[in-house]
């Protein structure tokens, strides 16, 4: 008997006896104006139980564990919620105001919303909240400058060179490329690409991006979350995460190295490096803080 089937039977037995089973069950609170307890991939949910995910409340139709709300049909959408752990932080809590964001990206694609960005911030609460006020603004500027470079000023949602699309499937991975050979092309603010990156980002965020990579180009908050995932957790070809580079004083140049390494750094493409630096200097100016040292790589 499978573990999930065993847990289901034990859950039913415990309910019949009026006992509390020692498995991580979610809140049974009904959907309301506020967000109920946040969905957890490790929690067991039975029919009628609720959880919040991506600023919506969801109700389980039957027993489930590890099936993502909004992706698996077991979940019924109860509508947007306001309040609770998955509520986007107010715009005033982010060091970049909406007016400053619009100033940075005057020609941005409407997909890249400010509300999508602020909704994504809860995934990595240390981002732009660590260190002094100057460091917080420098980190936000550094992230947005690299994002600007990767997307042509938040214009492009997907990679423009379609000839590259079939190259991003590493079939040697044990899970392969279930969404298709050409499904894992660059998407979002840091152009998430390759099947293994979609899986890693999805696993970290609790979203099945391996099977549903199009979520990164159809849901603004998810797109921003993938950018923040890379920024806060991946060192790429560098030696540190971009987040650590900014909060520990290594400088903007090390964020470039962590994103594109020798392709741009060490003389690889000085024009591209300068483009990123120019954006960063413009953004820190908008935020009213100095750029700091070590701008190049």
């Amino acid at each position: 008997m499978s573990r999930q089937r065993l847990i289901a039977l034990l859950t039913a037995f415990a309910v019949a006896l009026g006992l509390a089973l020692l498995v991580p069950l979610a809140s049974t609170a009904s959907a309301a104006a506020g967000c109920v307890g946040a969905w957890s991939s490790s929690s067991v949910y039975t029919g009628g139980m609720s959880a919040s995910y991506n600023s919506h409340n969801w109700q389980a139709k039957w027993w489930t564990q590890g099936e993502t709300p909004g992706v698996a049909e077991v979940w019924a959408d109860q509508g947007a919620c306001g309040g609770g752990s998955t509520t986007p932080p107010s715009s005033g809590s982010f060091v970049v105001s909406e007016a400053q964001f619009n100033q940075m990206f005057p020609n941005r694609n409407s997909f890249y919303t400010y509300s999508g960005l602020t909704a994504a911030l809860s995934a990595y609460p240390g981002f732009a909240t660590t260190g002094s006020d100057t460091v917080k603004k420098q980190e936000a500027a550094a992230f947005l400058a690299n994002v600007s470079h990767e997307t042509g000023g938040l214009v492009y949602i997907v990679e423009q060179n379609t000839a590259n699309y079939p190259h991003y499937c590493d079939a040697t991975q044990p899970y392969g490329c279930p969404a298709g050979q050409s499904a894992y092309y660059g998407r979002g603010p840091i152009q998430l690409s390759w099947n293994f990156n979609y899986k890693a980002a999805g696993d970290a965020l609790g979203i099945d991006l391996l099977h549903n990579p199009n979520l990164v180009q159809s849901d603004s908050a998810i797109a921003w979350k993938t950018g923040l995932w890379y920024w806060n957790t991946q060192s790429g070809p560098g030696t540190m995460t971009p987040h650590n580079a900014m909060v520990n004083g290594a400088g903007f140049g090390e964020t470039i190295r962590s994103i594109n390494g020798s392709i741009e750094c060490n003389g690889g493409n000085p024009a591209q490096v300068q483009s990123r630096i120019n954006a960063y200097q413009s953004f820190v100016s908008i935020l009213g803080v100095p750029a700091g040292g070590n701008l190049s790589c």
Side-chain angles (χ1 to χ4, degrees):
M1 182 183 296
S2 71
R3 177 179 178 274
Q4 287 195 350
R5 177 61 177 161
L6 178 60
I7 293 175
L9 291 173
L10 290 173
T11 301
F13 181 69
V15 170
L17 294 177
L19 300 175
L21 189 64
L22 295 178
V23 292
L25 297 176
S27 168
T28 57
S30 60
C35 292
V36 298
W39 174 76
S40 168
S41 61
S42 63
S43 293
V44 171
Y45 301 85
T46 56
M49 296 177 71
S50 298
S52 60
Y53 182 77
N54 276 347
S55 300
H56 278 234
N57 283 330
W58 303 84
Q59 188 173 73
K61 301 175 185 176
W62 53 81
W63 188 98
T64 178
Q65 183 181 34
E67 296 178 284
T68 307
V71 176
E73 65 176 10
V74 63
W75 290 102
D77 189 355
Q78 303 297 294
C81 57
S85 60
T86 61
T87 304
S90 67
S91 59
S93 67
F94 185 37
V95 295
V96 179
S97 70
E98 186 167 8
Q100 290 168 330
F101 178 77
N102 290 334
Q103 186 179 353
M104 292 171 177
F105 302 104
N107 301 311
R108 64 180 170 82
N109 190 302
S110 60
F111 172 76
Y112 290 113
T113 60
Y114 181 77
S115 61
L117 173 55
T118 57
L121 295 177
S122 61
Y124 293 97
F127 170 74
T129 63
T130 304
S132 67
D133 288 344
T134 294
V135 170
K136 294 172 186 176
K137 291 180 179 181
Q138 286 173 338
E139 183 182 11
F143 172 73
L144 293 172
N146 280 298
V147 159
S148 180
H149 180 84
E150 295 291 320
T151 61
L154 287 186
V155 171
Y156 301 117
I157 303 170
V158 302
E159 183 175 353
Q160 297 300 290
N161 186 358
T162 57
N164 282 341
Y165 284 16
H167 299 162
Y168 296 121
C169 171
D170 179 2
T172 67
Q173 298 294 331
Y175 43 79
C177 300
Q181 174 77 26
S182 301
Y184 302 99
Y185 52 84
R187 294 177 176 87
I190 293 192
Q191 295 289 283
L192 185 71
S193 55
W194 289 96
N195 56 329
F196 47 82
N197 281 327
Y198 277 86
K199 185 177 190 310
D203 287 350
L205 297 168
I207 307 166
D208 186 4
L209 297 181
L210 182 67
H211 291 85
N212 302 278
N214 280 327
L215 288 173
V216 184
Q217 68 186 73
S218 62
D219 187 306
S220 180
I222 290 176
W224 282 112
K225 284 180 181 180
T226 64
L228 291 171
W229 165 78
Y230 191 94
W231 184 266
N232 287 278
T233 71
Q234 302 299 298
S235 58
T239 61
M240 64 191 77
T241 66
H243 169 72
N244 284 339
M246 294 308 298
V247 302
N248 293 328
F252 179 73
E254 287 303 311
T255 72
I256 304 173
R257 191 181 305 279
S258 295
I259 291 172
N260 245 5
S262 60
I263 294 175
E264 294 183 15
C265 296
N266 303 324
N269 195 327
Q272 295 296 302
V273 171
Q274 191 59 50
S275 171
R276 294 180 193 265
I277 294 171
N278 291 346
Y280 174 62
Q281 290 176 320
S282 172
F283 291 176
V284 291
S285 177
I286 289 172
L287 297 179
V289 293
N294 302 320
L295 297 184
S296 185
C297 61

